[in-house]
Amino acid sequence: MEFDKRNNALNVNGNYVNGALADIAITTRGSDLYFAICAAMATAGFIFLGLAFRKPRRDRIFHYITAAVVFVASIAYFTMGSNLGFTPIQVEFPRSDPKVHGTYREIFYVRYIDWFITTPLLLLDLLLTAGMPWPTILWVILVDEVMIVTGLVGALVRTRYKWGYFTFGCFALFYIVYVLGFEARRYSKALGQDVNRVFFMCGTLTLFLWILYPVAWGVCEGGNVIAPDSEAIFYSILDFFAKPVFGALLIWGHKDISPARLGLSIRDYDDDHLINEGPAGTHEKRHVPAGSNGQNAATTGQDAAQTV
């Protein structure tokens, strides 16, 4: 039997969802693009993981975080390519243009689930690179989650009140821009020229791209200005540069930077003397009495053996 190479996702998974028909929806071209970006994200993830195995385990934190970003994104793009993970929402601005003419627009909520997981990880990559303190990192991540959630809620609202949520999200974005552009940059400079260089490259790319996301939201979910296929192109370009390209720059920049320089002192059992106190070539863990070190414990054990 001849293998069918055609994309049948739109035929298998139709546009009638939650009691409404999304008559403003992607075509097969949009689905093809989403599947292509899915493949690109997954490929980048395997490359990042492959590069991680060239590093000691304690130095792989940025590889793992960045690989997680693109793997999660690949699942989201597979879902959108399959014409799943959306709900029809009545548009606030009906248009006469045939490409956006209709009543219900296809809103991919799975995109926001992706961002809810991946944007904190991207910020973690950047803020750990800059050596920011943990309380600040956690606070910025919380602000980022507010930005994503308000964007999702706004996209699911059919009245003009959606722009109130859009405004909340923009305020959150402005704060993140301030932290990355000023506070984190000052921290990165104190860690050396090489650290500042990788932070500047990746931070500048992130700031430029993230400022464009509200524009995409305004002409897609918000204003119903461009067609869903054009929406697929807009968001796909932004996500491709914000995740695989960002990840490649970050990992390349970190190739000669030890995480310990950034305040990330991570232990590994292969070189932990508290675990590897047995004979050479073994990994025997020995009990160390409270209040004593390994040497004293070993001496005490010898004395006890001689007494017996």
Side-chain angles (χ1 to χ4, degrees):
M1 180 170 53
E2 184 179 355
F3 180 71
D4 189 355
K5 298 181 179 180
R6 292 176 300 176
N7 181 351
N8 290 316
L10 301 183
N11 296 326
V12 175
N13 304 308
N15 294 336
Y16 189 83
V17 176
N18 296 332
L21 176 66
D23 47 357
I24 309 172
I26 59 171
T27 66
T28 302
R29 288 178 294 180
S31 175
D32 288 341
L33 176 58
Y34 282 140
F35 279 134
I37 298 297
C38 166
M41 295 284 186
T43 301
F46 285 115
I47 291 173
F48 296 156
L49 282 183
L51 293 173
F53 287 102
R54 302 178 62 182
K55 292 271 192 178
R57 278 189 295 265
R58 63 180 177 274
D59 294 342
R60 296 175 184 173
I61 181 170
F62 292 101
H63 295 76
Y64 288 154
I65 292 174
T66 311
V69 168
V70 290
F71 278 136
V72 170
S74 70
I75 297 172
Y77 271 87
F78 173 81
T79 304
M80 292 186 289
S82 302
N83 204 39
L84 299 170
F86 76 91
T87 188
I89 297 296
Q90 185 176 346
V91 297
E92 179 189 359
F93 302 105
R95 306 292 182 182
S96 58
D97 186 342
K99 293 182 179 180
V100 287
H101 179 71
T103 304
Y104 291 93
R105 186 181 177 102
E106 184 179 52
I107 301 296
F108 284 106
Y109 57 80
V110 71
R111 175 177 285 127
Y112 295 88
I113 297 175
D114 166 11
W115 292 342
F116 189 84
I117 299 172
T118 58
T119 55
L121 295 177
L122 291 169
L123 286 174
L124 196 59
D125 266 340
L126 285 171
L127 298 179
L128 288 179
T129 297
M132 295 288 283
W134 277 105
T136 302
I137 293 176
L138 294 175
W139 170 247
V140 175
I141 287 176
L142 173 63
V143 173
D144 172 74
E145 302 287 27
V146 170
M147 177 181 70
I148 302 303
V149 170
T150 53
L152 172 60
V153 174
L156 298 178
V157 172
R158 64 181 181 85
T159 66
R160 63 178 181 272
Y161 284 85
K162 67 171 60 193
W163 299 102
Y165 292 99
F166 176 79
T167 303
F168 288 133
C170 286
F171 275 120
L173 175 61
F174 293 154
Y175 177 76
I176 294 171
V177 168
Y178 166 75
V179 172
L180 294 180
F182 296 95
E183 288 190 12
R185 188 176 178 185
R186 287 199 298 268
Y187 273 85
S188 68
K189 286 182 178 179
L191 295 174
Q193 184 177 358
D194 52 347
V195 174
N196 184 56
R197 181 171 58 250
V198 63
F199 176 80
F200 179 78
M201 286 191 307
C202 297
T204 302
L205 176 65
T206 298
L207 289 179
F208 173 73
L209 294 172
W210 282 28
I211 290 173
L212 292 177
Y213 277 94
V215 177
W217 192 98
V219 298
C220 299
E221 294 99 324
N224 188 39
V225 176
I226 64 176
D229 281 351
S230 300
E231 171 186 332
I233 296 172
F234 202 160
Y235 279 127
S236 295
I237 291 174
L238 291 178
D239 280 349
F240 180 78
F241 280 95
K243 293 171 182 175
V245 174
F246 167 92
L249 286 175
L250 184 89
I251 290 176
W252 175 79
H254 275 278
K255 66 182 185 300
D256 296 322
I257 299 173
S258 170
R261 282 182 56 195
L262 310 176
L264 301 171
S265 183
I266 301 172
R267 296 197 315 177
D268 186 26
Y269 59 79
D270 279 344
D271 54 6
D272 190 333
H273 71 280
L274 293 178
I275 297 176
N276 299 296
E277 289 181 343
T282 68
H283 295 288
E284 178 184 355
K285 184 174 180 179
R286 308 181 72 173
H287 177 68
V288 181
S292 65
N293 57 29
Q295 183 177 356
N296 292 339
T299 303
T300 303
Q302 292 173 0
D303 293 343
Q306 291 173 0
T307 301
V308 175

